Amino acid sequence: DYVKLKEIVRNKNLAELHDVYGDVVAIARILESNRENGIRGNETDLIRRKMAFGSNTYQKPPPKGLIHFIVEAFKDTTILILLACAALSLAFGIREHGVGEGWYEGGSIFLAVFLVVAVSASSNFRQERQFDKLSKISNDIRIDVVRDGRRQKVSIFDAVVGDVVFLTIGDQVPADGLFIEGHSFQVDESSMTGESDHVDVDSVHNPFLLSGSKVADGYSQMLVISVGMNTAWGEMMSSITRDSNEQTPLQERLNGLTSSIGRVGLAVACLVLSVMLLRYFTGNTKNVDGTREFNGADKNLNDVFNSVLRLVSTAVTIVVVAIPEGLPLAVTLTLAYSMKRMMADQAMVRKLSACETMGSATVICTDKTGTLTLNQMKVTKFWIGYEEIQQEISRVIARDLIESFYQGVAFNTTGSIFKPKSGSLIEYSGSPTEKAILSWAVQDWGMDIEKLKKDYDILHVETFSSVKKRSGVLIRNKYNNFCYAHWKGAAEMVLAMCSCYFEISGEMKRISEDDRSKFENIIEGMAAGSLRCIAFAYKRMEPGESHSFAKDDKYTITEQELTLLGIVGMKDPCRPGASKAIRSCRNAGVDVKMITGDNLFTAKAIATECGILDPNQQVAVGEVIEGIEFRNYTPEERMLKVEDIRVMARSSPIDKLLMVQCLKQKGHVVAVTGDGTNDAPALKEADVGLSMGIQGTEVAKESSDIVILDDDFSSVATVLRWGRCVYNNIQKFIQFQLTVNAAALVINFIAAVSDGDVPLTTVQLLWVNLIMDTLGALALATERPTDELMLRPPVGRTEPLISNAMWRNLVAQALYQILILLTLQFKGKSIFHVKEEVKNTLIFNIFVLCQVFNEFNSRNIVKKNVFTGIHKSRLFLGIIAITLILQIVMVELLKNFADTVRLSFGQWGVCVGIASLTWPIGWIVKFVPLPSKPFLSYIRIFLHTSSRDAIR
C-alpha cells in the first residue's frame, strides 16, 4: 500500500516501517528500483511513475493577473480624486451643453486617467511575469541520480518515486525518502521543523529524509519514496505566495523623496486653489468674452459649481504632476530590464537590491578555484619520496605501494566511476579535483574500483572539511581483517601528520627534520608553478587494534604516526578572461582580493597570473598572508591591515567572514563570491553575496543575492558593470523627472497667483505626466551599460543620490523652462500676435518639446557630449519618436480632447527652436565647476547658521 508507505516515511515511524516493509532493499524492490542501478529511467518508465505517484512539482498560487494591477492602480488617492472630478465634470458638462459637446472635458480627463492607469498596470504586470519566470529558473536545482546503472544530473522537478539520489554537503533533499547507504550523514531540518540542531541519519536508527532539508555533513544515497504534493514540503510551498513587492534600499529612498516632493506639490496645489477660488469669488477672473466670470447673485449655481470643479480639478492635477510616481516605476523598469540582461550575461539575480548595491561596490573578495581558474583539474606531477615519477607507473613502483594508493584513491573520494556496457569512454563524476584523481588512477595506474569494493568494507568516513583541508576513510580487508586509515588533503597539512614516508621501492623510512624540509621544498616548488598539491598518507593496523575505535564503539580515524604515500600536483589553468576582468575592476576603482584555501605559493602564483599581484613589483609586507595569521591579529591590527591584503591563502570560511566584517566597518561596500556550505555566513554578511552556479551548493546559493551561472570572474565584473548602469540610469531619470516637477510647479504657482489661471489644463498636465513618468522612465531606465561607467570611482555608501552635477543640470534647465513659459504666459499674445487659445497651445507644445529635448541631456549627467552611442539606443530613439508623434496628434487632431488649436508650420518651427535651446544650455552649464561638498550640505550649514543667529 503506497499511501501507507509515504505516511510512514513522512511521520518517521521506524517500527512500522520494519514491521510492514522490512529494509530499504525490500522497499526498492517493491518500487521496481535497485540500490546500485536505480530505476530503468527510460521515457516509458518515467511517464508511468509520474502517472502513478505524481511529479516532483507543487501547485503554486496563480500569478497575479493584469486585472489585479489595474485594480491596484485605481486605489491611488489622487487617481480616485481625479476620477471623481471627471465624473462631476462629465455630468455638469452634459447637463449644460448636451451630450454632443458636454462630454469633452470630463471624458478627456477620464481617458487620460485610464491611459495613465493602463500603462502603469501593464508595466507592473510585465515585471511580475518576469519575476515569476526567474523564480522558476532559480528553483530548478540539478540533482545527481543513478538510472540504469549510470550516474547523471537531472532537474529536481524530474525526480520520480524509486529514484536513487546521491547527496553531499550543501545539497537540498529533493523529495521524501529513505537512507540507503552513506557516511557521517547529517541533515538540517530547520526549514521543516524549526529545530536548528543537525539530525543524524543512518540505516539503523533514523533512515528518514524529508524534502526541503539541507545536507549538513557527510554523503549518502537515498531512495525516493514520495514527491511533490505528497510531501510536507510540497504542501507547505504550495500555500506560500511569493511576495514580488520586495522594496530595494534605493526604492525606499526614492519613496521618501517622492513623499517629500508630493508634500511640496500638495502645499503648492492648496495655495493655487486658495488663490484661484479667492480671485474667482472676488470677481477677478474673466470669461473668454472679457466679462466677469462670477458676479454674485446673478450667477447660475450650475456655472459656479462647474467653475469651482474646474479649479479643484486643476489643483488635483498639479498634485499628480508634482508627485514623481515615475521614480519607483523607473527603478522597477531598470531593475527588471537589467535582471533580464544579466541573465543573458550568466548572472541570475535572486534579490533585487543586489543589482543596485553592486553598483556601489568598492571591494570584491573572490575565490580562486573555478572563479579565477577554469576548475578543469589535471594531474601533471607525481612524487613518491624524493623522486618525481615520469615513467609508466606500474613498472617502477612496488606492488604493495600501488595497492595502498588504490585504496586511498578508490575509497577516500566522493566521486564515482561509470563504465558503459557498450565499451564507450568511462564517465567520471564528482568535483573537478575528485574527477582528476580518479581518471589519473584509472588511466595511468589501471585501477579497478569494482574489484577493490569487493575486497574491502568501509568502516568510517570523515568528509572533506574546509577547516581541516582534508578527508579521511577507515577501511577493513574482508579476508585478513587488517584495517587501513587513509587521509588525503592539502599537502603541507597531511605532511604534518606523517612520521614516515615510502620510497619508490616500497621501503618505509622515518621522516627526519631534514627530510621534512626537503618535502616542504618539493611542495613549495610545485605550488610556485601554480599547481594544487594533494598528499596521500595511510596507516595499517593489525586486526582488533584498539585505537581504531572510540567511545561507544564508534569508529574514528587515527591522525598520528601516518606514512606519506606520495604527493600529486594538479594544474588548474587560469580563466582566459580573468586578468582582463580584474583590470577592468581596478580601473573602476574596485579593489579585488583573492581568498583561497590553497597554500601560499599556489595562491601567489595564480594571483600573479590573474593580475591581482603585479609580476613586475616586489610583493609588499602584508599583501599576501595566510588565514591563521589574519585570524590571530588583534581586532585593531585587523582593521589597520585589512585594506592592504590582496591575497589570503589557507583561509577558512571564518577568515572570509572576518575580512568581510572588517571591510564593512571601514566603510566599504563588499561583494563576496562563495560556493561552499561554509561560505554561507560570509555571503550573508556581505553587501552582495555572489554564489557559483556550477560548483555552488544549494545552501550557498540560498545565502547569496546573485548566482554566477558560469562560475567565471568575468561574469562578476559584468554584474559590477550592470550594477553601475542601474544606479546611473536611475540618477538620469531623477534629473529628468525633477526638472519637469520643478518647472511645472513654479509655472502653475506663479501663473495662478498673478493671473488667476494656470496655463496648462488638467488633460495637458496628465499628458505631460504620462510622458515623463512612463515613457521617460522607459527611455532612460533601459539604457545599456557603457565602458565609461567602468572608468568612474565607485559611489560607496555615503554619496548622495542627487549629485552636485545633477543639481547643476536640473536647476539650469528648470530655470530656462520657467523663464520661457512665464514670458509666454504674460507676453505671448503680444510677442506672437495670436489669440489666447493659440498662446496656450504654444505654451503646452513648448513645455512638452522641452522635456523631449531635455531627455537627450539626461543621457549623460557629467559628459558634455550626450549623443555618444545614441545609434545603439534604439528603444530610446523609438520612445522619442512615439512621444513626438503623439504630441503632434494631441495638438493637431485631438483639439477638443486636449483643449488645443492647430498650429502653423511657422509656429511649430518656433516651438522646436525654443525647445532645442535646452541642448546648448545643457552643454554650456557643464563648464560650471562643481564644489567638493554635496549641494544640500551647504543648505544645512546655512540653515544651522541662521537658526543659531536667531537664537542669539
Side-chain angles (χ1 to χ4, degrees), residues 368 527-528 530-533 598-607:
K368 175 188 80 71
S530 66
L531 298 184
R532 172 178 278 191
C533 303
D598 278 338
N599 77 31
L600 204 64
F601 299 95
T602 309
K604 230 176 182 176
I606 294 287

Side-chain angles (χ1 to χ4, degrees), residues 300-314:
N300 186 309
L301 202 60
N302 273 352
D303 292 342
V304 173
F305 198 87
N306 265 345
S307 299
V308 170
L309 192 65
R310 181 172 50 79
L311 300 180
V312 170
S313 178
T314 303

Side-chain angles (χ1 to χ4, degrees), residues 753-781:
V753 170
S754 56
D755 204 29
D757 198 7
V758 289
L760 301 168
T761 67
T762 303
V763 173
Q764 288 170 357
L765 282 170
L766 283 171
W767 168 234
V768 171
N769 194 54
L770 187 69
I771 289 173
M772 66 181 190
D773 272 2
T774 310
L775 297 176
L778 202 59
L780 293 169

Side-chain angles (χ1 to χ4, degrees), residues 67 80 173 221 229 339 377 446 533 539 565 605 638 685 701 824 888 915 932 951-952:
I67 301 297
L80 290 173
V173 178
Q221 291 173 32
M229 292 301 291
M339 275 173 77
M377 297 285 187
C533 303
K539 183 170 186 176
L565 291 170
R638 271 200 292 270
E685 181 68 29
K701 288 176 193 173
L824 289 175
I888 292 166
S932 54
I951 291 164
R952 282 179 188 162

Side-chain angles (χ1 to χ4, degrees), residues 83 158 270 314 429 437 451 457 561 625 640 846 854 856 872 908:
L83 285 173
D158 293 333
C270 289
T314 303
S429 53
I437 291 171
K451 183 181 178 300
D457 286 324
E561 300 292 312
I625 66 163
L640 195 67
I846 290 168
N854 194 36
F856 285 89
K872 294 177 186 173
W908 269 101

